[in-house]
Amino acid sequence: MTTEAPQPGPAVHRLLPSRAEIRTVRFDDSLTQLKRWEFHGPPQERPSAFEAEWLGEPAWPKPEFPSTYPDAPVFSRRLAELLGPDLTTAGTLLPLTVTDGGGAVDDEGYLVYVVDEVVDCVDTARSSRPGSTGEMQRTVFQPEALPTHLPAFRVPQFPVGIYWNGWFADRLSSLLGPHLESRLLWSSAPHTPHPYPWGV
């Protein structure tokens, strides 16, 4: 799927790998630990490292943004070095060990981005009612409360979903091209949001 055109003014997106023939990662129980921390906070502990395995055909390329999980984006080390100064304003980059073909460890180097910033900026009266995990089919934001200075943030209603500000989505799209899917969730300009924002 092609990346949507940049939107004027504030906009919020969901980012995930494109549906091209590329490989993606599947996490082990470290993702469960992350979700517990996202939902409950202390005394739950945030993972300090993650493990995953590659999915997909061995001949397919390994992308630089290979995670489909809405709360656990993965960046290549190259991207992390390029974008780190922005990313660390809202969260933490943590090490990821990825296995490929059983016990073989991928040594190319990937990092999980854990977003620490939770911002109460949803217009709940105009948004869809949250589901059992907090997922909202339609999310409307309060423009004056939107943390536009951050690359990404989470919201209290859906703590296991990461929302990406438009300026960062545009920047990552310019680096990854067709290997990134950017789904528009909300914009201050007239827009049509993605019909299935949180599906894979």
Side-chain angles (χ1 to χ4, degrees):
M1 182 177 291
T2 57
T3 300
E4 297 174 31
Q7 299 291 315
V12 180
H13 297 250
R14 184 204 170 178
L15 301 179
L16 66 164
S18 70
R19 295 184 219 180
E21 292 185 342
I22 57 176
R23 303 189 77 180
T24 57
V25 294
R26 178 171 59 196
F27 285 91
D28 69 355
D29 289 342
S30 57
L31 183 65
T32 302
Q33 184 182 351
L34 175 66
K35 290 183 184 298
R36 287 177 181 148
W37 173 80
E38 290 168 331
F39 268 120
H40 306 294
Q44 299 293 327
E45 293 186 5
R46 186 181 70 179
S48 58
F50 293 82
E51 293 188 10
E53 64 178 343
W54 285 110
L55 299 178
E57 297 296 327
W60 291 354
K62 296 172 182 175
E64 294 192 85
F65 191 80
S67 172
T68 60
Y69 298 92
D71 56 341
V74 172
F75 288 85
S76 69
R77 287 200 178 272
R78 182 188 79 92
L79 286 179
E81 289 173 1
L82 287 171
L83 304 172
D86 287 326
L87 292 172
T88 54
T89 63
T92 310
L93 290 160
L94 296 171
L96 171 66
T97 300
V98 191
T99 58
D100 190 7
V105 177
D106 191 319
D107 60 1
E108 293 182 30
Y110 287 85
L111 298 165
V112 177
Y113 183 47
V114 176
V115 173
D116 301 307
E117 292 290 333
V118 179
V119 182
D120 189 2
C121 56
V122 173
D123 185 337
T124 55
R126 298 172 61 201
S127 299
S128 300
R129 185 172 182 174
S132 58
T133 64
E135 180 180 311
M136 290 170 281
Q137 179 69 20
R138 170 181 164 82
T139 308
V140 178
F141 291 95
Q142 304 172 56
E144 69 281 1
L146 197 67
T148 54
H149 62 291
L150 299 176
F153 59 95
R154 295 186 290 124
V155 299
Q157 295 81 4
F158 185 35
V160 295
I162 293 177
Y163 294 83
W164 301 86
N165 274 310
W167 65 266
F168 187 85
D170 292 343
R171 187 175 179 197
L172 193 58
S173 293
S174 71
L175 291 169
L176 297 183
H179 282 179
L180 183 75
E181 181 179 350
S182 182
R183 296 180 180 177
L184 181 65
L185 304 182
W186 175 88
S187 174
S188 60
H191 68 286
T192 301
H194 194 283
Y196 307 108
W198 300 106
V200 176

